[in-house]
Amino acid sequence: MSKTTAAITAVGSYVPDFVMTNKILETLVDTNDEWITTRTGIKERRILKGEGLGTSYLAIKAAEQLLEKRKLDPKEIELIIVATATPDMMVAATAAYVASEIGATNAFAYDLQAACSSFLYGMSTAASYIESGRYKKVLLIGADKMSSIIDYTDRTTCIIFGDGAGAALFEPNNEGLGLQDEYLRSDGVGRNFLKMDAGGSLLPASEETVKNRQHFIYQDGKSVFKFAVTNMADSAAKIMERNNLSHNDVNWLVPHQANKRIIDATSNRMGLDDSKVMMNIQRYGNTTSATLPLLLSDYESQLRKGDNLVFAAFGGGFTWGSIYLKWAYNS
Ligand SMILES: CC(C)(COP(=O)(O)OP(=O)(O)OC[C@H]1O[C@@H](n2cnc3c(N)ncnc32)[C@H](O)[C@@H]1OP(=O)(O)O)[C@@H](O)C(=O)NCCC(=O)NCCS
């Protein structure tokens, strides 16, 4: 009997309506469209407006789109993982609320946090549950309301991030499709370069932390850039080498959308033509846990059964890695 692999069998996504253009950012901080475009590749990003709407709102919308497209009864889902760096609340799992709201009453649900690598790591987790035979339907959602932790007076971070969500259903496959190999790493040295200082157990919220703006993301952009370029490119190259994939064998690079220059460095290292590189950073910016599933959703109609996809991501922590997956369906 052939080995059971874990395939992605459906995707869905959601981005909020409000479009924050580079022009709008010019009115908030000392920046300009030309600088942002040439340094990052970003032209606009989506922002979730409205009182009382958190990351769960984005996640629910993405999951509902997937359910509708697949005509899937939510009661069939056994596990929901919400990959996010911006949960609705610190303690109550966002995933549990999402599961209830979409009607997945037979599922258990939890959050997974690895900054911008959350979805990539989540793919490994979801696939393991499927490969082991323990569950047959695992829904992985990547969702972040980055605008909730962005300082819109800090021009070095506010230009980069946006809000969004994407979802992917993992199911068993007996044709050898789905997740083939993974190379995942982390290095705690990185936590000083990209972080939110306060609100965790290390530095609980206080009047002082609010006054010092420590509930916003801090980033040493140059250092993060250097680590990201090296590690995303290295891990993607390693996955190719380990699986004897030449640039001709790779149909798509699915790279975390942090900065167009980081994506270009990764695809150059892999020897890939631009036409094989998924990219939507110009429209959404860096949506943290949502970048990879948003790409899958945007490019779904171009994907063919058997296509070789190489995912690569890098994030706070530091966390990073690469996954090789064979696409399982024609849409
Ligand atoms: C943030 C980032 C775009 C900055 O680009 P950079 O080329 O490294 O730019 P620097 O930080 O060296 O800044 C260059 C100059 O531009 C200025 N600058 C920074 N942000 C600016 C902005 N939004 N508009 C205009 N000028 C800006 C800086 O103050 C600096 O000016 P100085 O030379 O007078 O000091 C880039 O470092 C980056 O993408 N880092 C990685 C981000 C990332 O991937 N994060 C998520 C990881 S998952």
Side-chain angles (χ1 to χ4, degrees):
M1 209 177 89
S2 64
K3 182 174 161 257
T4 297
T5 48
I8 292 178
T9 56
V11 294
S13 66
Y14 176 76
V15 289
D17 294 335
F18 183 79
V19 180
M20 184 177 272
T21 59
N22 290 348
K23 283 276 164 226
I24 295 177
L25 285 169
E26 285 179 13
T27 67
L28 302 176
V29 289
D30 179 17
T31 191
N32 58 76
D33 175 49
E34 207 258 326
W35 193 95
I36 301 173
T37 307
T38 53
R39 305 308 290 168
T40 70
I42 303 167
K43 296 298 277 182
E44 57 190 43
R45 59 296 285 142
R46 300 301 183 97
I47 303 295
L48 180 59
K49 299 274 188 186
E51 283 290 306
L53 301 181
T55 291
S56 62
Y57 180 84
L58 304 165
I60 289 164
K61 291 273 192 193
E64 284 175 344
Q65 193 201 54
L66 182 150
L67 293 172
E68 174 56 34
K69 272 166 63 181
R70 236 318 271 280
K71 302 282 175 245
L72 179 69
D73 179 353
K75 292 191 176 59
E76 288 183 39
I77 300 170
E78 296 161 289
L79 164 61
I80 295 182
I81 301 170
V82 172
T84 184
T86 53
D88 280 5
M89 300 178 205
M90 279 295 286
V91 176
T94 300
Y97 180 70
V98 171
S100 295
E101 288 298 300
I102 66 170
T105 46
N106 293 317
F108 73 109
Y110 61 86
D111 298 349
L112 187 155
Q113 209 284 75
C116 290
S117 304
S118 300
F119 191 86
L120 189 82
Y121 283 14
M123 288 174 68
S124 168
T125 310
S128 302
Y129 280 115
I130 299 288
E131 287 159 5
S132 71
R134 189 173 294 209
Y135 302 113
K136 298 209 161 23
K137 282 189 173 45
V138 177
L139 183 64
L140 173 64
I141 307 170
D144 268 304
K145 184 184 172 186
M146 292 307 291
S147 60
S148 64
I149 54 169
I150 293 300
D151 181 352
Y152 285 96
T153 66
D154 174 9
R155 69 176 182 171
T156 67
T157 52
C158 74
I159 57 149
I160 295 173
F161 295 95
D163 302 338
L169 183 68
F170 284 76
E171 291 185 276
N173 184 282
N174 293 312
E175 298 175 274
L177 303 171
L179 200 142
Q180 306 292 309
D181 193 17
E182 63 182 35
Y183 174 82
L184 306 174
R185 290 292 183 273
S186 64
D187 185 348
V189 73
R191 81 170 181 174
N192 291 322
F193 299 110
L194 177 50
K195 58 182 174 176
M196 191 172 87
D197 271 315
S201 56
L202 204 57
L203 184 61
S206 68
E207 275 181 41
E208 196 72 7
T209 59
V210 172
K211 203 172 73 206
N212 294 338
R213 309 182 82 77
Q214 288 171 296
H215 295 271
F216 294 122
I217 274 200
Y218 160 83
Q219 171 171 256
D220 171 350
K222 255 197 184 353
S223 302
V224 174
F225 187 88
K226 267 192 268 172
F227 277 100
V229 164
T230 309
N231 288 315
M232 256 176 75
D234 280 359
S235 50
K238 197 169 218 86
I239 274 282
M240 285 175 71
E241 196 184 299
R242 235 160 60 167
N243 292 280
N244 295 318
L245 295 172
S246 78
H247 61 93
N248 290 322
D249 301 318
V250 175
N251 299 97
W252 295 99
L253 168 64
V254 193
H256 173 52
Q257 307 283 293
N259 185 313
K260 183 173 184 300
R261 291 183 291 144
I262 299 173
I263 298 167
D264 289 345
T266 306
S267 59
N268 286 339
R269 176 79 177 279
M270 296 168 74
L272 291 187
D273 200 77
D274 281 353
S275 62
K276 291 181 167 187
V277 181
M278 293 191 190
M279 184 108 68
N280 56 19
I281 192 171
Q282 64 282 6
R283 286 185 289 138
Y284 306 141
N286 181 350
T287 53
T288 302
S289 312
T291 59
L292 301 182
L294 273 173
L295 286 171
L296 292 181
S297 189
D298 280 2
Y299 283 82
E300 184 186 24
S301 64
Q302 296 180 55
L303 297 174
R304 290 287 159 266
K305 188 173 173 178
D307 276 359
N308 288 321
L309 275 57
V310 173
F311 293 75
F314 183 86
F318 291 132
T319 54
W320 73 91
S322 187
I323 283 180
Y324 165 33
L325 175 139
K326 276 186 179 293
W327 196 247
Y329 65 95
N330 298 321
S331 62

